[in-house]
Amino acid sequence: MQTLPACPICGMENTYPDGDLFICPDCAHEWPQVAAANDDTDLVVRDVNGNVLNSGDTVTVIKDLKVKGSSIPLKQGTVIRNIRLVDGDAEHIEGNSEKIKGLVLKVCFLKKA
């Protein structure tokens, strides 16, 4: 019998499979069964061009972005130095620009400098 994983959001073990997804009835979180099978592998964070990003790299913003909580937008070409990777998340990085500190950015809007 297959052991079902606990929910990654709430930690409850009442999950059940539904097609290609696992579903948690307690918090209504759904996640793909493929992702649950690949939890053992290291996450690889890639920029918009497919280059691997590591902590400490420098990236460039590829389009103007509105920043929540700030009236200053990030303009195309803004350089983010000394990025930090978010544990367990291959789609986001943390970093600081010259004007805005404490940014969390999606890697689909970044390219490695």
Side-chain angles (χ1 to χ4, degrees):
M1 181 173 177
Q2 177 184 358
T3 303
L4 298 176
C7 176
I9 302 298
C10 68
M12 299 298 289
E13 296 184 3
N14 299 332
T15 59
Y16 62 90
D18 184 23
D20 292 337
L21 298 174
F22 285 121
I23 299 176
C24 177
D26 297 315
C27 69
H29 179 65
E30 299 178 0
W31 69 101
Q33 291 183 15
V34 176
N38 292 336
D39 282 344
D40 300 339
T41 61
D42 292 332
L43 290 175
V44 177
V45 180
R46 297 184 182 271
D47 69 356
V48 71
N49 295 329
N51 298 321
V52 176
L53 296 175
N54 298 308
S55 290
D57 284 347
T58 300
V59 294
T60 305
V61 178
I62 62 168
K63 68 178 265 186
D64 291 352
L65 299 174
K66 294 181 182 178
V67 179
K68 288 184 181 179
S70 175
S71 60
I72 304 169
L74 279 179
K75 297 288 187 179
Q76 179 179 356
T78 300
V79 176
I80 309 293
R81 290 183 172 83
N82 198 19
I83 65 169
R84 293 174 304 282
L85 302 181
V86 178
D87 287 337
D89 191 355
E91 295 185 16
H92 294 91
I93 59 105
E94 296 175 348
N96 298 319
S97 71
E98 290 181 11
K99 297 180 181 180
I100 305 171
K101 307 298 181 206
L103 292 169
V104 176
L105 299 166
K106 287 192 161 210
V107 294
C108 63
F109 300 117
L110 305 172
K111 69 177 181 178
K112 193 169 185 176

